[in-house]
Amino acid sequence: MEISGGITASLAGRYAAALYDLAGEQGHVTAVESDLDTLAAAVRESADLAALIKNPEVTREAAAKAVDAVAALLKLSPLTRNFLGVLAANRRLASLPDVVRAFTAIAAAARGEVTADVTTAHPLDEAQIAALTEKLKVREGRAVTVKAHVDPAILGGLVVQIGSRMIDGSIRTRLNSLAQAMKG
């Protein structure tokens, strides 16, 4: 599979591409993508899990048992559980967040979609997300999946990142630009 941006050139990209190929052969791409989203959320929300996957002192066997227990608790598919076992056996659990991002990008590219990371100061409601998705779809000329994030530090407006392109309409950036202009 040819993926633009050289995703598969990285270590995480190679693991993600191999997982995507296996999931595609078994017809479980959607299930694995959902599993990885669930797992990524668990890593973000649990400091203990995040520490576990990054700790080089944890043995391969202990790491494999721990991630298998987490996978069972999260009710992940057998393919995803086996994949986590491979990452643990190869001491690559620290790359898990990058693997998840790469897998998501590969799956979206295969569907002809692009992912837009949207950061706002306040949470968007469903109607706002739908309207933004439609505007981005028209701008990009293809399907867009919006992943919304909240960062109160931007003060207002929004920041949209699609691939390597960024549209920064945040109030923080506007105020910084105004401050620079006033300095002369």
Coordinates of all heavy atoms in Angstrom, one line a residue, residues 54-118:
K54 N 6.2 3.1 29.0 CA 7.5 3.8 28.7 C 8.6 3.3 29.6 O 9.7 3.7 29.5 CB 7.3 5.3 29.0 CG 6.4 5.9 27.9 CD 6.1 7.3 28.2 CE 5.2 7.9 27.1 NZ 4.8 9.2 27.4
N55 N 8.3 2.4 30.6 CA 9.3 2.0 31.6 C 10.2 0.9 31.0 O 9.8 -0.2 30.8 CB 8.6 1.5 32.8 CG 9.6 1.3 34.0 OD1 10.8 1.2 33.7 ND2 9.1 1.2 35.2
P56 N 11.5 1.2 30.8 CA 12.4 0.2 30.2 C 12.8 -0.9 31.2 O 13.3 -1.9 30.8 CB 13.6 1.0 29.8 CG 13.6 2.2 30.7 CD 12.2 2.5 31.0
E57 N 12.5 -0.7 32.5 CA 12.9 -1.7 33.5 C 11.9 -2.8 33.6 O 12.2 -3.8 34.2 CB 13.0 -1.0 34.9 CG 14.2 0.0 34.9 CD 14.3 0.7 36.2 OE1 13.6 0.4 37.2 OE2 15.2 1.6 36.3
V58 N 10.7 -2.7 33.0 CA 9.7 -3.7 33.1 C 10.1 -4.8 32.1 O 10.4 -4.5 30.9 CB 8.3 -3.2 32.7 CG1 7.3 -4.3 32.6 CG2 7.9 -2.1 33.7
T59 N 10.1 -6.0 32.5 CA 10.5 -7.1 31.6 C 9.5 -7.3 30.5 O 8.4 -6.9 30.6 CB 10.7 -8.5 32.4 OG1 9.4 -8.9 32.9 CG2 11.7 -8.3 33.5
R60 N 10.0 -8.0 29.5 CA 9.1 -8.3 28.3 C 7.8 -9.1 28.8 O 6.7 -8.8 28.4 CB 9.8 -9.1 27.3 CG 10.9 -8.3 26.6 CD 11.7 -9.3 25.7 NE 13.0 -8.7 25.4 CZ 13.4 -8.3 24.2 NH1 12.6 -8.5 23.2 NH2 14.6 -7.8 24.0
E61 N 8.1 -10.1 29.6 CA 7.0 -10.9 30.1 C 6.0 -10.2 30.9 O 4.8 -10.3 30.8 CB 7.6 -12.1 30.9 CG 8.4 -13.1 30.1 CD 9.9 -12.6 29.8 OE1 10.3 -11.7 30.6 OE2 10.5 -13.0 28.9
A62 N 6.5 -9.3 31.8 CA 5.7 -8.5 32.7 C 4.9 -7.5 31.9 O 3.7 -7.3 32.2 CB 6.5 -7.8 33.8
A63 N 5.5 -6.9 30.9 CA 4.8 -5.9 30.1 C 3.7 -6.6 29.3 O 2.6 -6.1 29.1 CB 5.8 -5.2 29.2
A64 N 4.1 -7.8 28.7 CA 3.1 -8.6 28.0 C 1.9 -8.9 28.8 O 0.7 -8.8 28.4 CB 3.7 -9.8 27.4
K65 N 2.1 -9.4 30.0 CA 1.0 -9.8 30.9 C 0.2 -8.5 31.3 O -1.1 -8.6 31.3 CB 1.5 -10.4 32.2 CG 2.0 -11.8 32.0 CD 2.5 -12.4 33.3 CE 3.1 -13.8 33.1 NZ 3.7 -14.3 34.3
A66 N 0.8 -7.4 31.5 CA 0.1 -6.2 31.9 C -0.7 -5.7 30.8 O -1.9 -5.3 31.0 CB 1.1 -5.1 32.4
V67 N -0.2 -5.6 29.6 CA -1.0 -5.1 28.5 C -2.1 -6.0 28.1 O -3.1 -5.6 27.6 CB -0.1 -4.6 27.2 CG1 0.8 -3.5 27.6 CG2 0.6 -5.8 26.6
D68 N -1.8 -7.4 28.2 CA -2.9 -8.3 28.0 C -4.1 -8.1 28.9 O -5.2 -8.2 28.6 CB -2.4 -9.7 28.0 CG -3.4 -10.7 27.4 OD1 -3.9 -10.5 26.3 OD2 -3.7 -11.7 28.1
A69 N -3.7 -7.9 30.2 CA -4.8 -7.7 31.2 C -5.5 -6.4 30.9 O -6.8 -6.3 31.0 CB -4.1 -7.6 32.6
V70 N -4.8 -5.3 30.5 CA -5.5 -4.1 30.1 C -6.4 -4.3 28.9 O -7.5 -3.9 28.8 CB -4.5 -3.0 29.8 CG1 -5.1 -1.8 29.1 CG2 -3.8 -2.6 31.1
A71 N -5.9 -5.1 27.9 CA -6.6 -5.4 26.7 C -7.9 -6.1 27.0 O -9.0 -5.9 26.4 CB -5.8 -6.1 25.7
A72 N -7.8 -7.1 27.9 CA -9.0 -7.9 28.4 C -10.0 -6.9 29.0 O -11.2 -7.0 28.8 CB -8.6 -9.0 29.3
L73 N -9.5 -6.1 29.9 CA -10.4 -5.1 30.6 C -11.1 -4.2 29.6 O -12.3 -3.9 29.8 CB -9.5 -4.3 31.6 CG -10.3 -3.3 32.5 CD1 -11.2 -4.1 33.5 CD2 -9.3 -2.5 33.3
L74 N -10.4 -3.8 28.6 CA -11.0 -2.9 27.6 C -11.8 -3.6 26.5 O -12.3 -3.0 25.6 CB -9.8 -2.0 26.9 CG -9.1 -1.1 27.8 CD1 -7.9 -0.4 27.1 CD2 -10.0 0.0 28.4
K75 N -11.8 -5.0 26.6 CA -12.5 -5.8 25.6 C -12.0 -5.6 24.2 O -12.8 -5.4 23.3 CB -14.0 -5.6 25.8 CG -14.5 -6.0 27.1 CD -16.0 -5.8 27.2 CE -16.7 -6.3 28.4 NZ -16.3 -5.7 29.6
L76 N -10.7 -5.6 24.0 CA -10.1 -5.4 22.7 C -10.2 -6.7 21.9 O -10.2 -7.8 22.5 CB -8.7 -4.9 22.8 CG -8.4 -3.6 23.6 CD1 -7.0 -3.2 23.6 CD2 -9.3 -2.5 23.1
S77 N -10.2 -6.6 20.6 CA -10.3 -7.8 19.7 C -9.0 -8.6 19.9 O -7.9 -8.1 20.2 CB -10.5 -7.3 18.3 OG -9.3 -6.7 17.8
P78 N -9.1 -9.9 19.5 CA -7.9 -10.8 19.6 C -6.8 -10.3 18.7 O -5.6 -10.4 19.2 CB -8.5 -12.1 19.1 CG -9.9 -12.1 19.3 CD -10.3 -10.7 19.2
L79 N -7.1 -9.8 17.6 CA -6.0 -9.3 16.7 C -5.2 -8.1 17.4 O -4.0 -8.1 17.4 CB -6.5 -8.8 15.4 CG -5.5 -8.2 14.4 CD1 -4.4 -9.2 14.1 CD2 -6.2 -7.7 13.1
T80 N -5.9 -7.2 18.0 CA -5.3 -6.1 18.7 C -4.5 -6.6 19.9 O -3.4 -6.1 20.2 CB -6.4 -5.0 19.1 OG1 -7.1 -4.7 18.0 CG2 -5.7 -3.8 19.7
R81 N -5.1 -7.5 20.7 CA -4.4 -8.1 21.8 C -3.1 -8.8 21.4 O -2.1 -8.6 22.0 CB -5.3 -9.1 22.5 CG -6.4 -8.4 23.3 CD -7.3 -9.4 23.9 NE -6.7 -10.0 25.1 CZ -7.4 -10.7 26.0 NH1 -8.6 -11.0 25.9 NH2 -6.7 -11.2 27.1
N82 N -3.1 -9.6 20.3 CA -1.9 -10.2 19.8 C -0.9 -9.2 19.4 O 0.3 -9.3 19.6 CB -2.3 -11.1 18.6 CG -3.0 -12.4 19.1 OD1 -3.0 -12.7 20.2 ND2 -3.7 -13.0 18.1
F83 N -1.4 -8.1 18.7 CA -0.5 -7.1 18.3 C 0.2 -6.4 19.5 O 1.5 -6.2 19.5 CB -1.2 -6.0 17.5 CG -0.4 -4.9 17.0 CD1 0.6 -5.1 16.0 CD2 -0.5 -3.6 17.6 CE1 1.4 -4.0 15.6 CE2 0.3 -2.6 17.2 CZ 1.3 -2.8 16.2
L84 N -0.5 -6.2 20.6 CA 0.1 -5.6 21.8 C 1.1 -6.5 22.4 O 2.2 -6.1 22.9 CB -1.0 -5.3 22.8 CG -1.9 -4.1 22.5 CD1 -3.0 -4.0 23.5 CD2 -1.1 -2.8 22.4
G85 N 0.9 -7.8 22.3 CA 1.8 -8.8 22.7 C 3.1 -8.7 21.9 O 4.2 -8.9 22.5
V86 N 3.0 -8.5 20.6 CA 4.2 -8.4 19.7 C 5.0 -7.1 20.1 O 6.2 -7.2 20.2 CB 3.8 -8.3 18.3 CG1 4.9 -7.9 17.4 CG2 3.2 -9.7 17.8
L87 N 4.2 -6.0 20.4 CA 4.9 -4.8 20.8 C 5.7 -5.0 22.1 O 6.8 -4.6 22.2 CB 3.9 -3.7 20.9 CG 3.4 -3.0 19.7 CD1 2.4 -1.9 20.0 CD2 4.4 -2.5 18.7
A88 N 5.0 -5.7 23.0 CA 5.7 -6.0 24.3 C 6.9 -6.9 24.2 O 8.0 -6.6 24.7 CB 4.7 -6.6 25.3
A89 N 6.8 -7.9 23.4 CA 7.9 -8.9 23.1 C 9.0 -8.2 22.5 O 10.2 -8.5 22.7 CB 7.4 -10.1 22.3
N90 N 8.8 -7.2 21.6 CA 9.8 -6.5 20.9 C 10.3 -5.2 21.6 O 11.1 -4.5 21.0 CB 9.4 -6.2 19.5 CG 9.2 -7.4 18.6 OD1 9.7 -8.5 18.9 ND2 8.4 -7.3 17.6
R91 N 9.8 -5.0 22.8 CA 10.1 -3.8 23.6 C 9.8 -2.5 22.8 O 10.5 -1.6 22.8 CB 11.6 -3.8 24.0 CG 11.9 -4.9 25.0 CD 13.2 -4.5 25.7 NE 13.4 -5.3 26.9 CZ 12.9 -4.9 28.1 NH1 12.1 -3.9 28.2 NH2 13.1 -5.7 29.2
R92 N 8.6 -2.5 22.2 CA 8.2 -1.4 21.4 C 6.9 -0.7 22.0 O 6.3 0.1 21.3 CB 7.9 -1.8 20.0 CG 9.1 -2.3 19.3 CD 10.2 -1.3 19.1 NE 11.3 -1.8 18.3 CZ 12.5 -1.4 18.3 NH1 12.8 -0.4 19.2 NH2 13.4 -1.9 17.6
L93 N 6.5 -1.0 23.2 CA 5.3 -0.4 23.8 C 5.4 1.1 23.9 O 4.4 1.8 23.8 CB 5.0 -1.0 25.2 CG 4.4 -2.4 25.2 CD1 4.3 -3.0 26.6 CD2 3.0 -2.4 24.5
A94 N 6.6 1.6 24.0 CA 6.7 3.1 24.1 C 6.3 3.8 22.8 O 5.9 4.9 22.8 CB 8.2 3.4 24.5
S95 N 6.3 3.0 21.7 CA 5.9 3.5 20.4 C 4.4 3.5 20.2 O 3.9 3.9 19.1 CB 6.6 2.8 19.3 OG 8.0 2.9 19.4
L96 N 3.7 2.9 21.2 CA 2.3 2.7 21.0 C 1.5 4.0 20.5 O 0.7 3.9 19.6 CB 1.6 2.1 22.2 CG 0.1 1.7 22.1 CD1 -0.1 0.7 21.0 CD2 -0.4 1.2 23.4
P97 N 1.7 5.1 21.2 CA 0.9 6.3 20.7 C 1.2 6.7 19.2 O 0.3 7.0 18.5 CB 1.4 7.4 21.7 CG 1.8 6.7 22.9 CD 2.4 5.4 22.4
D98 N 2.5 6.5 18.8 CA 2.8 6.8 17.4 C 2.2 5.8 16.5 O 1.8 6.1 15.4 CB 4.4 6.8 17.3 CG 5.0 8.0 18.0 OD1 4.3 9.0 18.2 OD2 6.1 7.8 18.5
V99 N 2.2 4.5 16.9 CA 1.6 3.4 16.1 C 0.1 3.7 15.9 O -0.4 3.6 14.8 CB 1.8 2.0 16.8 CG1 1.0 1.0 16.0 CG2 3.3 1.7 16.8
V100 N -0.6 4.2 17.0 CA -2.0 4.5 16.9 C -2.2 5.6 15.9 O -3.1 5.5 15.0 CB -2.6 4.8 18.3 CG1 -4.0 5.4 18.1 CG2 -2.5 3.6 19.2
R101 N -1.4 6.7 16.0 CA -1.6 7.8 15.0 C -1.3 7.3 13.6 O -2.0 7.7 12.7 CB -0.6 8.9 15.4 CG -1.1 9.8 16.5 CD -0.3 11.0 16.7 NE 1.1 10.8 17.2 CZ 1.3 10.6 18.5 NH1 0.3 10.7 19.4 NH2 2.5 10.3 19.0
A102 N -0.3 6.5 13.4 CA 0.1 6.1 12.1 C -1.0 5.1 11.5 O -1.4 5.3 10.3 CB 1.4 5.3 12.1
F103 N -1.6 4.3 12.3 CA -2.6 3.4 11.9 C -3.9 4.2 11.5 O -4.5 3.9 10.4 CB -3.0 2.4 13.0 CG -4.0 1.3 12.5 CD1 -3.6 0.1 12.0 CD2 -5.4 1.6 12.6 CE1 -4.5 -0.8 11.6 CE2 -6.3 0.6 12.1 CZ -5.8 -0.6 11.6
T104 N -4.2 5.2 12.3 CA -5.4 6.0 12.0 C -5.1 6.7 10.6 O -6.1 6.8 9.8 CB -5.6 7.1 13.1 OG1 -5.8 6.4 14.3 CG2 -6.8 8.0 12.8
A105 N -3.9 7.2 10.4 CA -3.6 7.9 9.2 C -3.7 7.0 8.0 O -4.2 7.3 6.9 CB -2.2 8.6 9.2
I106 N -3.2 5.8 8.1 CA -3.2 4.8 7.1 C -4.6 4.4 6.7 O -5.0 4.3 5.5 CB -2.4 3.5 7.4 CG1 -0.9 3.9 7.5 CG2 -2.6 2.4 6.4 CD1 0.0 2.8 8.1
A107 N -5.4 4.1 7.7 CA -6.8 3.8 7.5 C -7.6 4.9 6.9 O -8.4 4.6 5.9 CB -7.5 3.4 8.8
A108 N -7.4 6.1 7.3 CA -8.1 7.3 6.7 C -7.7 7.4 5.2 O -8.5 7.7 4.4 CB -7.8 8.5 7.5
A109 N -6.4 7.3 5.0 CA -5.9 7.4 3.6 C -6.5 6.4 2.7 O -6.9 6.6 1.5 CB -4.4 7.4 3.5
A110 N -6.6 5.1 3.2 CA -7.2 4.1 2.4 C -8.7 4.3 2.1 O -9.2 3.9 1.1 CB -7.1 2.7 3.2
R111 N -9.4 5.0 3.0 CA -10.8 5.4 2.8 C -10.9 6.7 2.0 O -12.1 7.1 1.7 CB -11.5 5.6 4.2 CG -11.7 4.3 4.9 CD -12.6 4.6 6.2 NE -12.1 5.5 7.1 CZ -11.3 5.3 8.1 NH1 -11.1 4.0 8.4 NH2 -10.9 6.2 8.9
G112 N -9.8 7.3 1.7 CA -9.9 8.6 0.9 C -10.3 9.7 1.8 O -10.8 10.7 1.3
E113 N -10.0 9.6 3.1 CA -10.3 10.7 4.1 C -9.1 11.4 4.5 O -8.0 10.9 4.3 CB -10.9 10.1 5.3 CG -12.3 9.4 5.1 CD -12.8 8.8 6.4 OE1 -12.0 8.8 7.4 OE2 -13.9 8.3 6.4
V114 N -9.3 12.5 5.1 CA -8.2 13.3 5.7 C -8.7 13.6 7.1 O -9.9 13.8 7.3 CB -7.8 14.6 4.9 CG1 -9.0 15.5 4.8 CG2 -6.6 15.2 5.4
T115 N -7.8 13.6 8.1 CA -8.1 14.0 9.4 C -7.7 15.4 9.8 O -6.6 15.8 9.5 CB -7.4 13.0 10.4 OG1 -7.9 11.7 10.1 CG2 -7.8 13.3 11.8
A116 N -8.6 16.1 10.4 CA -8.4 17.5 10.8 C -8.4 17.5 12.3 O -9.4 17.1 12.9 CB -9.4 18.4 10.2
D117 N -7.3 17.9 12.9 CA -7.2 18.1 14.3 C -7.6 19.5 14.6 O -6.9 20.5 14.2 CB -5.8 17.8 14.9 CG -5.4 16.4 14.9 OD1 -6.3 15.6 15.4 OD2 -4.4 16.0 14.4
V118 N -8.7 19.7 15.3 CA -9.3 21.0 15.6 C -9.2 21.3 17.1 O -9.6 20.5 17.9 CB -10.7 21.1 15.1 CG1 -11.3 22.4 15.5 CG2 -10.9 20.8 13.7

